Amino acid sequence: MHKLYSMQRSGNSYKVRLALALLNVPYQAIEVDILHGESRTPEFLAKNPSGQVPLLEVAEGRYLAESNAILWYVAGGTPLAPESRVERAEALQWMFFEQHALEPNIGAAYFWLALVKGGRDLQTHALEDWMERGYGALQVMENHLKTHRYFAAGQLTVADIALYGYTHVADRCDYELSSFPAIRAWLRRVEQTPGFVPMDWQSGAQIEDPASVVAGA
């Protein structure tokens, strides 16, 4: 069984947990609280030198980092991964978009405004830029969804999961989605998918103490 090191409230971590749930793939979830430095310990850095979650152990001693790379790995050979060459490229196109246009802005705003105590005061200088660029990303998504039900292959794929991760919490960090009806309809479609789980859902194999895993307890 794979071990998934993730943080419950992290959008990037949630993307992987959502994909695994939709595919009904069992895994062992290990909670890593990045807000308390648990991803910066020597033990964790030995697994992932970037000190980030999510991190998936795909074989003993072999780890895969970066949420969208993990998504692509777990979705391989399933309906979540498009089969044709062009549709695979279209899914990747939107996953790259998520990481360069959506996550650095809405993801950053969510982290500092919704997760970090006092984060709004600490990031006042950056918030205006996050809002402007985040709204720009949402508009690109809205324009696509006006004529498409999903982002690639005409069905739910890893591209939708990647984009859902932070879009669905945008309203928790000052973004107003009332002017994006196509996005709101798409969010509902994703949430109505059989096997869908919300961000606060925990698998039955949740481990709260990563130190015990590192120590082999």
Side-chain angles (χ1 to χ4, degrees):
M1 181 184 294
H2 291 323
K3 292 179 182 176
L4 175 65
Y5 298 80
S6 75
M7 179 175 164
Q8 195 71 35
R9 296 176 293 167
S10 156
N12 280 326
S13 293
Y14 171 50
K15 291 187 293 189
V16 177
R17 297 197 308 272
L18 177 55
L20 290 168
L22 290 171
L23 294 170
N24 196 29
V25 174
Y27 64 97
Q28 186 178 56
I30 302 167
E31 179 71 5
V32 178
D33 190 344
I34 64 175
L35 298 176
H36 289 87
E38 291 180 0
S39 65
R40 308 302 303 181
T41 65
E43 293 84 1
F44 189 84
L45 290 172
K47 297 177 175 64
N48 182 13
S50 71
Q52 297 175 333
V53 293
L55 182 71
L56 184 70
E57 186 176 34
V58 297
E60 187 172 355
R62 187 169 187 175
Y63 300 92
L64 187 61
E66 298 296 334
S67 59
N68 287 353
I70 299 172
L71 281 182
W72 202 253
Y73 171 80
V74 301
T78 79
L80 291 180
E83 293 185 5
S84 79
R85 183 177 179 183
V86 67
E87 288 176 340
R88 285 198 300 269
E90 287 171 348
L92 286 169
Q93 165 191 298
W94 284 108
M95 295 172 82
F96 295 147
F97 170 85
E98 185 268 340
Q99 284 291 283
H100 76 71
L102 192 77
E103 193 273 348
N105 299 301
I106 296 179
Y110 169 72
F111 180 82
W112 287 101
L113 301 187
L115 301 186
V116 178
K117 186 177 181 180
R120 182 182 296 275
D121 294 334
L122 292 171
Q123 296 294 335
T124 302
H125 63 288
L127 186 56
E128 184 176 346
D129 285 342
W130 289 340
M131 298 304 292
E132 180 181 356
R133 293 194 293 262
Y135 273 122
L138 290 171
Q139 191 60 60
V140 171
M141 294 168 61
E142 177 75 11
N143 291 342
H144 176 82
L145 289 168
K146 287 177 181 178
T147 54
H148 301 80
R149 289 179 56 81
Y150 296 100
F151 281 94
Q155 65 183 50
L156 183 81
T157 69
V158 285
D160 298 280
I161 296 172
L163 288 161
Y164 181 86
Y166 282 109
T167 304
H168 92 285
V169 294
D171 60 353
R172 303 184 197 177
C173 50
D174 291 9
Y175 291 91
E176 175 56 62
L177 296 183
S178 60
S179 59
F180 300 99
I183 287 179
R184 288 186 285 113
W186 165 76
L187 289 173
R188 290 192 295 271
R189 281 194 293 276
V190 174
E191 290 157 6
Q192 291 165 0
T193 304
F196 173 86
V197 295
M199 180 183 272
D200 59 2
W201 177 85
Q202 295 186 3
S203 77
Q206 184 84 11
I207 293 179
E208 296 295 341
D209 181 12
S212 67
V213 176
V214 171

